[in-house]
Amino acid sequence: ALASVYVASRARVMLAEFLAINERDYILAGRDIGAGNWRIMCKHMIPNAFALYLLIVTFHLGGTIIAEASLSFLGVGVPIDVPSWGGMLSGAASQYVALAPWLAVFPGVAIALVVFSWNVLGDALRDVLDPRLKGTN
């Protein structure tokens, strides 16, 4: 349910990217020599926009993890019997933070590490898969 929140922003960014790619010289040259719309889409537009899509998805996945943890911390997320990092933080903060502060530290560090790791993975995938960055090392 949380991932559906990001669909509109993802679609808006991808539309802007496709419109920018559509005005590039190699697309116009392909149209001039008679290439069809499907060929231009499959051979030029999708490969050039795929790296950006992966980057957006991995960044939004980090935001979704933080949103789920925040909602579970506030008590409006997943049910109590389902384990989640936000629920762990909520339970530790309400009862045990004075006696055992590590109960709140470890889930918070886990959330930060997973979100950071997803963001780094997305950036690395963009560097590897983006055809415009090939040969720039």
Side-chain angles (χ1 to χ4, degrees):
L2 289 173
S4 64
V5 172
Y6 294 110
V7 169
S9 65
R10 194 176 314 149
R12 187 173 51 244
V13 170
M14 291 310 297
L15 175 66
E17 181 68 14
F18 280 125
L19 290 175
I21 291 171
N22 197 28
E23 297 300 320
R24 297 223 171 107
D25 290 337
Y26 56 88
I27 300 292
L28 298 175
R31 288 193 200 286
D32 287 343
I33 63 169
N37 289 336
W38 282 104
R39 179 169 176 82
I40 290 173
M41 254 187 345
C42 292
K43 295 290 274 183
H44 300 292
M45 294 183 84
I46 291 175
N48 281 307
F50 186 67
L52 177 66
Y53 183 75
L54 280 178
L55 181 71
I56 292 169
V57 167
T58 54
F59 284 158
H60 284 173
L61 184 63
T64 303
I65 291 171
I66 291 173
E68 186 278 326
S70 301
L71 289 172
S72 294
F73 179 78
L74 295 173
V76 294
V78 295
I80 300 291
D81 59 337
V82 176
S84 73
W85 284 325
M88 291 177 187
L89 284 172
S90 176
S94 65
Q95 298 172 357
Y96 305 110
V97 76
L99 300 173
W102 59 86
L103 292 176
V105 169
F106 290 134
V109 169
I111 292 169
L113 282 176
V114 167
V115 170
F116 179 72
S117 299
W118 274 111
N119 288 342
V120 169
L121 176 69
D123 197 31
L125 283 173
R126 182 188 57 89
D127 291 344
V128 169
L129 296 175
D130 197 352
R132 291 172 287 190
L133 297 177
K134 292 200 190 274
T136 59
N137 293 343

